[in-house]
């Protein structure tokens, strides 16, 4: 029988580089940053953060005076590079500084409890008037390092520490993909959505994709945040609807409703009279265009376009093309918004 190891430790840092774990083990830690770079786990290993002070054999609590200045008793993981994570279980561990590139079987990594990751820079940490805003999501430390090292990088991304190495989108996309699967297997769909967003961001910035595919990914990102940001899709939908209403009021709705006219020919010798029913072409608007009546008509046309319906309103040539465009774009934007809501709330 393979023995099982269990240990409790309160320390600033625990170095386990290139170690081999030949038995099932559980480490319960406090105040510790652990480095497992290139370690080998032959059997399951659990790393867990202990929320309460350790109790000694005599019933007293372990003295922690040496950690009086520490911000908290949490446990952080510094590196999993070169690790086979198939046997690794992490519970309540801070993964914001962790380096994942080079690890294998990350899709089998088990994350229990409140395992936290880093996030993009928030507006509060930068100039308030800056127009640059980052979607709040779970972000790997290595994405922070890559973005901080780019030309013209926005302030707030964390610079790589000495020895962290340098990786880019090509290396990070598979990492995000594997972690996404790990969260999906754990039925944590909102968390998996964050890693899907990161995977798509790395694909969009990778050097090995064709320009056309990059353009499609950029459009997908701009319109709906890769189908994950309902507010972005709804903002574009609102903008498209306002533009449609304005264009219809200005150029699309005819000046007056065209009237039908009837013309007939009476044969010289008598007999049947033939009438031809015709309708005037819609006239381009002149004079006052932005009136309440025209707004109501334009709004009705726009709302019908969102759900693929035709309003039956008499339109000018320009108005016809505006309605055709709105009937194509606005339902797509509405669909992206619905997709984004579903992806964020499904379990």
């Amino acid at each position: 029988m393979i023995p099982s190891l269990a240990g409790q430790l309160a320390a600033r840092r625990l170095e386990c580089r290139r170690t081999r774990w030949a038995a099932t083990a559980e480490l319960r830690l406090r105040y510790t940053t652990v480095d497992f770079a290139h370690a080998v786990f032959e059997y399951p290993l659990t790393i867990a953060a202990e929320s309460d002070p350790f109790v000694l054999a005599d019933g007293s609590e372990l003295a922690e005076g040496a950690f009086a200045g520490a911000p908290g008793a949490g446990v952080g993981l510094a590196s999993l590079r070169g690790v086979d994570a198939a046997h690794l279980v992490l519970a309540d561990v801070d993964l914001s500084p962790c380096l994942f590139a080079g690890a294998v079987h990350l899709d089998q990594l088990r994350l229990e409890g409140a395992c936290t990751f880093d996030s993009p820079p928030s507006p509060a940490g930068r100039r308030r008037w800056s127009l640059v805003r980052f979607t709040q999501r779970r972000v790997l430390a290595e994405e922070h390092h890559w973005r901080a090292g780019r030309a013209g990088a926005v302030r707030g991304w964390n610079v790589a520490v000495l020895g962290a190495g340098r990786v880019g989108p090509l290396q990070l996309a598979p990492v995000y993909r594997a972690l996404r699967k790990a969260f999906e297997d754990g039925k944590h769909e909102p968390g998996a959505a964050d890693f899907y967003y990161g995977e798509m961001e790395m694909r969009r910035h990778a050097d090995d994709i064709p320009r056309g595919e990059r353009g499609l990914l950029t459009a997908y990102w701009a319109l709906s945040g890769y189908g994950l940001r309902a507010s972005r899709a709804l903002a574009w939908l609102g903008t498209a609807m306002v533009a449609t209403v304005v264009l219809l009021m200005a150029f699309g709705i005819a000046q007056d409703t065209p009237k039908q006219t009837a013309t007939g020919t009476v044969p010289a010798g008598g007999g049947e009279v033939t009438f031809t029913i015709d309708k005037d072409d819609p006239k381009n608007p002149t004079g006052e265009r932005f009136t309440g009546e025209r707004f109501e008509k334009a709004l009705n046309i726009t709302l019908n376009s969102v759900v693929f319906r035709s309003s039956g309103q008499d339109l000018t040539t320009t108005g016809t093309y505006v309605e055709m465009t709105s009937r194509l774009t606005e339902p797509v934007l509405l669909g992206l918004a619905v997709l984004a809501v579903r992806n964020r709330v499904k379990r």
Side-chain angles (χ1 to χ4, degrees):
M1 178 181 293
I2 301 297
S4 178
L5 304 177
Q8 296 179 332
L9 178 67
R12 295 284 188 182
R13 189 170 181 87
L14 178 61
E15 292 282 350
C16 297
R17 289 172 172 264
R18 300 187 183 279
T19 54
R20 178 178 292 274
W21 300 72
T24 301
E26 179 184 16
L27 295 179
R28 307 197 70 84
L29 308 171
R30 284 172 61 79
Y31 302 100
T32 311
T33 298
V34 191
D35 189 342
F36 276 108
H38 303 287
V40 177
F41 308 126
E42 298 181 4
Y43 292 89
L45 170 65
T46 300
I47 309 295
E50 186 66 45
S51 58
D52 300 319
F54 296 127
V55 178
L56 302 177
D58 59 2
S60 62
E61 293 184 353
L62 177 68
E64 296 180 344
F67 308 104
V75 175
L77 195 58
S79 178
L80 284 178
R81 286 187 171 176
V83 168
D84 186 338
H87 296 299
L88 187 59
V89 180
L90 304 176
D92 302 315
V93 175
D94 179 15
L95 297 172
S96 58
C98 187
L99 305 178
F100 286 95
V104 297
H105 294 146
L106 283 174
D107 58 321
Q108 300 178 40
L109 175 67
R110 288 183 55 190
L111 301 175
E112 306 289 346
C115 291
T116 58
F117 290 82
D118 213 333
S119 59
S122 63
R126 298 179 284 114
R127 297 178 180 178
R128 294 181 180 273
W129 52 263
S130 175
L131 297 178
V132 179
R133 295 290 186 272
F134 295 103
T135 299
Q136 292 303 302
R137 57 185 173 90
R138 293 169 175 83
V139 176
L140 299 183
E142 288 147 313
E143 182 179 346
H144 264 270
H145 304 163
W146 168 71
R147 290 187 182 273
R150 300 181 72 195
V154 176
R155 293 176 56 186
W157 294 104
N158 300 328
V159 179
V161 298
L162 184 65
R166 184 176 180 83
V167 296
L170 282 175
Q171 294 79 26
L172 291 178
V175 175
Y176 273 115
R177 188 178 306 117
L179 290 173
R180 171 173 61 86
K181 186 176 184 302
F183 270 69
E184 288 173 345
D185 292 343
K187 306 303 179 183
H188 190 349
E189 294 293 345
D194 283 346
F195 289 111
Y196 173 73
Y197 193 104
E199 176 190 350
M200 297 297 286
E201 276 288 273
M202 295 302 99
R203 284 183 56 194
R204 183 166 69 92
H205 290 286
D207 297 328
D208 65 336
I209 66 171
R211 183 175 299 178
E213 182 179 345
R214 189 190 306 277
L216 288 174
L217 290 176
T218 301
Y220 193 26
W221 161 77
L223 291 176
S224 65
Y226 306 114
L228 295 173
R229 299 296 179 261
S231 59
R232 193 176 302 181
L234 289 173
W236 279 109
L237 176 60
T239 301
M241 292 176 66
V242 170
T244 301
V245 169
V246 172
L247 289 173
L248 288 173
M249 292 177 68
F251 310 106
I253 298 176
Q255 178 69 25
D256 298 301
T257 301
K259 296 179 174 57
Q260 291 184 337
T261 58
T263 59
T265 303
V266 179
E272 294 184 355
V273 178
T274 302
F275 288 94
T276 302
I277 306 297
D278 200 1
K279 189 175 183 180
D280 293 338
D281 292 332
K283 305 296 183 182
N284 288 323
T286 58
E288 185 61 39
R289 304 184 183 192
F290 296 94
T291 63
E293 182 182 358
R294 291 177 64 81
F295 171 77
E296 184 178 354
K297 291 181 179 180
L299 182 61
N300 181 270
I301 295 169
T302 303
L303 293 177
N304 277 285
S305 296
V306 174
V307 292
F308 279 116
R309 292 179 58 189
S310 176
S311 64
Q313 178 69 42
D314 293 309
L315 300 174
T316 64
T317 302
T318 301
T320 301
Y321 284 110
V322 170
E323 184 186 33
M324 290 170 58
T325 303
S326 67
R327 290 180 65 187
L328 174 65
T329 58
E330 290 166 8
V332 171
L333 294 171
L334 179 61
L336 288 174
V338 173
L339 174 65
V341 171
R342 178 182 179 275
N343 286 336
R344 298 303 300 183
V345 302
K346 71 177 182 179
R347 289 294 186 270

